[in-house]
Amino acid sequence: MTTQPTREPVEEKPIPSAEHHDELDRKPLEMETAAMGQGLSGYETLGLWETVKAFKMTTFICFMVCFSAATDGYQIGINGNIIANPGFVKQFATQVNDAGEPALSASILSAWSAIMSVGQIIGMTSLAFITDRFGRKISMYWYWLILALSILLESLARKWQVWLVAKIFAGIGVGSLQSTIPAYVTEVAPTRIRGGLLMCYSFWFSIMIVIYVLVPESPAWCVNKGKYDQARKALRRLNYGVQDYDVEQHLQLYILATDHERTVAAEQRAEKWYAIFKGTDGLRTLVASWTLVAQQFIGLTLFSTYASYFFLQAGLDDPFQTTCITSSITLAGGITLVFIADRFGRRLLSCSGTTICWAANVVVGILGVTREVKATNYIFILFACIWNLGLVANGATGWGFIGEISSQRLRPYTAGFAAATSCVAGVIMNVITPYMVNESDWNWGLKTAWFYAGLGLPFTVIIWFLIPETAGRSAAELDELFERKIKPWRFHKTTTATQRTVEGRPECV
């Protein structure tokens, strides 16, 4: 009788669930995402207000850092407004006008404005090396000291030469501030609300030193320098109170992005700071600078820097009142941008704002060559206000771009050079604009707007083909889009590795 061999009981394996299949499907996507220097934070699907509520401490810190930029607005705005003040003119006058009244010569006005732009260039280009080596906080302390010195000199000045010295220190301080704060906010702010926080910078344009003592160092800089413990400390402070926040996970995201940028830079032999002029990084520098450079050629010096002086020379009875009106428009526009920048995106705001400014120049230029009627001044004021609305959109997005567009590795250098490029154009405009509007010199009056309409046309056209959408994109995602050479007007329609992982789609669109 033959006996059958005894069979060992077969272990029943559980049938894989749908969730398990999804997990397996996502593994290749996560590996692809990591290869692109990207990763998931776990907060990608939060809405705008949900992000603000989740990251309350980071939002507050970024807001306060932007608030410190009020000194920027003071130093920039004082140039063109105080020179229409009778007491100031009497103190620093070097000539008399046809009516026998004390007046400021165009050469001195040009020197004051030009030397400040030169100072900005010095600050923007030199501070990048300090920032890269010692961090963002040391840079903040440095330019605070320079700005404090400039204000002291302005307060003590009794001769125009002393005011000139004050202006170069003011320029260095403002230039340093302008290239540091947008970069810091870009590195620290949550991606979903980064745009609104960057808009706060242009809104606030002294509690500066108190703010800078309290804010943490940028985690991105810490990782770039291999200071991982300091990065962990900064991440804990920035994200205090965020539910289920994993410091190690987010530290790894920074490391992934930094390592990927270094790998790409090594492959392209672009590891040094001057890589900002080469290849893809060179394109990013051009894009980062374009919006701010464009504003110099669409009338920044005419309608903003020399606003009160221009209104006075144009024949308005109360130039300060008009300046207050345009400033109020700017204030209201700035507040609005904070709330809509992340919802509507930066590209549309930048391009349309620049176009609005150019169109306003055309209208004001037409007023300058037509017969003056009772309504001329009202139309002039209306389009000066419209110009200011356009500049709010241009300026706010422009300062955001110098931080957002650059790679994390080269951000201090790209931001500094991009901002400095606009100041180079500013030096030229600050020299010639007083001559154009001064009734004792060229006396172009409202016709000066034609000069800016002509210069600004190519910048206005090109901006629509050059500026990409950055809203909702992490620094690593922007790296991918630039590396793939996506057309700027298609950035917002292109799916990145991070998006594919979140959505579970392997295809590349």
Side-chain angles (χ1 to χ4, degrees):
M1 182 177 179
T2 307
T3 56
Q4 299 291 329
T6 305
R7 293 187 179 181
E8 292 293 326
V10 178
E11 182 181 353
E12 293 186 6
K13 295 182 180 179
I15 300 173
S17 64
E19 290 81 0
H20 182 69
H21 278 300
D22 288 343
E23 210 172 286
L24 292 175
D25 291 341
R26 289 170 65 88
K27 286 297 181 183
L29 288 174
E30 291 175 359
M31 292 174 64
E32 176 197 353
T33 304
M36 297 295 295
Q38 301 170 40
L40 300 185
S41 67
Y43 301 99
E44 284 80 8
T45 58
L46 292 182
L48 298 179
W49 183 239
E50 290 173 325
T51 305
V52 173
K53 290 191 294 184
F55 294 90
K56 293 185 284 290
M57 180 59 74
T58 305
T59 302
F60 175 72
I61 287 173
C62 289
F63 180 82
M64 293 306 294
V65 169
C66 290
F67 178 77
S68 74
T71 305
D72 177 351
Y74 164 77
Q75 288 291 3
I76 295 293
I78 195 174
N79 282 356
N81 292 302
I82 199 170
I83 58 176
N85 182 285
F88 183 88
V89 173
K90 183 178 180 180
Q91 177 65 50
F92 294 105
T94 57
Q95 63 182 35
V96 294
N97 58 20
D98 294 339
E101 300 168 337
L104 295 167
S105 68
S107 60
I108 290 178
L109 293 177
S110 296
W112 282 343
S113 293
I115 202 67
M116 183 161 177
S117 293
V118 170
Q120 285 177 270
I121 295 169
I122 294 171
M124 290 166 173
T125 53
S126 63
L127 192 74
F129 297 92
I130 298 175
T131 300
D132 186 51
R133 183 173 178 82
F134 300 106
R136 313 307 187 232
K137 280 177 67 79
I138 293 297
S139 299
M140 293 173 180
Y141 294 147
W142 169 251
Y143 66 66
W144 172 83
L145 181 64
I146 297 295
L147 285 169
L149 179 60
S150 73
I151 293 171
L152 178 64
L153 288 172
E154 287 169 351
S155 302
L156 298 176
R158 295 296 180 269
K159 296 181 179 294
W160 72 265
Q161 294 92 336
V162 178
W163 189 267
L164 184 72
V165 175
K167 288 294 97 180
I168 192 167
F169 280 106
I172 294 171
V174 167
S176 300
L177 181 152
Q178 289 172 330
S179 59
T180 300
I181 289 183
Y184 179 86
V185 173
T186 296
E187 293 175 343
V188 168
T191 301
R192 291 285 290 154
I193 57 172
R194 186 179 63 222
L197 292 172
L198 283 169
M199 299 307 112
C200 289
Y201 169 78
S202 64
F203 171 61
W204 286 114
F205 279 175
S206 73
I207 67 171
M208 283 177 71
I209 192 61
V210 177
I211 293 172
Y212 296 158
V213 167
L214 296 177
V215 301
E217 183 55 84
S218 162
W221 177 81
C222 295
V223 169
N224 196 40
K225 295 301 179 182
K227 301 176 182 290
Y228 298 130
D229 288 338
Q230 190 176 350
R232 290 185 181 95
K233 182 179 178 182
L235 286 170
R236 289 190 187 100
R237 285 187 61 191
L238 285 165
N239 300 285
Y240 176 78
V242 178
Q243 188 175 1
D244 300 325
Y245 184 83
D246 189 332
V247 171
E248 293 301 323
Q249 177 192 358
H250 285 76
L251 178 62
Q252 285 302 314
L253 295 180
Y254 280 104
I255 294 172
L256 269 175
T258 301
D259 288 348
H260 177 73
E261 285 189 1
R262 285 175 177 164
T263 301
V264 172
E267 291 172 354
Q268 298 175 352
R269 297 183 180 179
E271 296 138 301
K272 302 296 185 180
W273 71 267
Y274 44 80
I276 64 172
F277 304 112
K278 298 166 57 179
T280 300
D281 288 316
L283 173 63
R284 295 176 80 157
T285 302
L286 177 65
V287 174
S289 64
W290 194 266
T291 302
L292 289 181
V293 171
Q295 68 179 216
Q296 295 289 349
F297 295 99
I298 54 173
L300 178 67
T301 308
L302 183 65
F303 287 95
S304 183
T305 306
Y306 284 104
S308 293
Y309 189 67
F310 178 41
F311 297 151
L312 177 67
Q313 298 297 314
L316 297 184
D317 294 332
D318 194 340
F320 283 111
Q321 184 183 57
T322 306
T323 303
C324 288
I325 293 172
T326 57
S327 297
S328 299
I329 295 291
T330 301
L331 186 65
I335 294 173
T336 303
L337 281 178
V338 170
F339 293 99
I340 69 172
D342 287 294
R343 188 173 299 277
F344 293 98
R346 264 76 96 191
R347 171 180 160 81
L348 179 62
L349 292 173
S350 173
C351 297
S352 59
T354 303
T355 304
I356 288 170
C357 288
W358 178 82
N361 272 292
V362 173
V363 174
V364 173
I366 292 172
L367 293 176
V369 295
T370 55
R371 185 172 62 88
E372 185 175 345
V373 295
K374 187 176 182 180
T376 297
N377 283 347
Y378 296 109
I379 298 173
F380 172 39
I381 293 172
L382 171 63
F383 278 90
C385 292
I386 291 173
W387 184 93
N388 272 272
L389 275 176
L391 187 74
V392 171
N394 170 287
T397 53
W399 289 113
F401 284 145
I402 72 166
E404 287 188 302
I405 296 295
S406 54
S407 65
Q408 182 173 300
R409 180 177 55 89
L410 295 171
R411 185 165 289 123
Y413 302 104
T414 303
F417 182 81
T421 302
S422 71
C423 291
V424 171
V427 171
I428 300 170
M429 295 303 145
N430 279 306
V431 168
I432 63 176
T433 299
Y435 288 94
M436 289 190 281
V437 300
N438 195 324
E439 62 180 7
S440 301
D441 291 283
W442 302 350
N443 194 27
W444 288 4
L446 297 182
K447 293 190 289 291
T448 307
W450 280 119
F451 174 80
Y452 286 101
L455 281 181
L457 180 58
F459 288 89
T460 303
V461 172
I462 293 173
I463 199 170
W464 288 95
F465 297 94
L466 189 64
I467 299 300
E469 182 54 73
T470 58
R473 303 293 196 185
S474 68
E477 286 180 284
L478 290 173
D479 286 344
E480 177 192 341
L481 292 169
F482 276 106
E483 287 166 18
R484 289 169 55 187
K485 303 188 186 306
I486 302 298
K487 299 296 184 185
W489 56 90
R490 292 194 59 83
F491 264 44
H492 66 292
K493 299 177 181 178
T494 305
T495 305
T496 62
T498 295
Q499 285 178 293
R500 292 194 296 276
T501 304
V502 171
E503 299 168 7
R505 291 190 291 135
E507 69 274 9
C508 181
V509 181

